[in-house]
Amino acid sequence: MRYETFNPHKHDIVKVAKLVYDVDYRTFDMLFKSSDKAIERISKSLMDEDMETFTVLLDDDENIIGLLIYYIDKFPKHFYLKSLRLLIVDILDYFVLCDVGPGDLYIAEIAIDDSLRGQGL
């Protein structure tokens, strides 16, 4: 296994979108009313995001098996022009979840493929 910065031109965007959805499915279901619609919107937004803080966990065959999203020193204050519902998620994250200060590392999301959970990854 190894970690790699997510690249939307190299990695499976839908797989990463499903992992993002899994972490906060209750919020996405409330806003989008279906997992398919939420995953579709998340997938589209991943093409425009700054991927510096998105890290994927790959197995030996280069399949994405997990996701880590983190911030160092500051929580991002930029919002991308995207779906209004995804903008709401960003705003909630910014104002509700965390105040990241100098020298801080904030782990925003950790996800493991549901078929691999409980295996010590």
Side-chain angles (χ1 to χ4, degrees), residues 7-74:
N7 178 341
H9 303 290
K10 177 181 176 182
H11 298 115
D12 183 345
I13 293 173
V14 174
K15 177 65 177 182
V16 172
K18 286 179 182 177
L19 290 168
V20 170
Y21 169 82
D22 283 349
V23 171
D24 201 8
Y25 69 90
R26 288 180 186 96
T27 301
F28 289 119
D29 285 351
M30 180 183 67
L31 293 171
F32 289 98
K33 308 297 185 215
S34 86
S35 60
D36 290 339
K37 187 178 257 186
I39 291 167
E40 177 185 337
R41 294 290 174 97
I42 295 166
S43 296
K44 287 180 182 178
S45 76
L46 287 173
M47 290 300 295
D48 300 323
E49 295 280 348
D50 173 10
M51 294 297 122
E52 183 177 315
T53 62
F54 276 59
T55 302
V56 292
L57 176 60
L58 303 169
D59 66 12
D60 294 335
D61 296 322
E62 299 291 311
N63 298 309
I64 295 172
I65 60 172
L67 171 71
L68 171 68
I69 302 173
Y70 64 92
Y71 302 103
I72 299 174
D73 291 330
K74 63 182 166 99

Side-chain angles (χ1 to χ4, degrees), residues 93-112:
D93 285 350
Y94 178 74
F95 287 109
V96 177
L97 294 180
C98 181
D99 182 22
V100 180
D104 289 347
L105 168 69
Y106 175 72
I107 298 175
E109 296 182 7
I110 296 176
I112 293 294

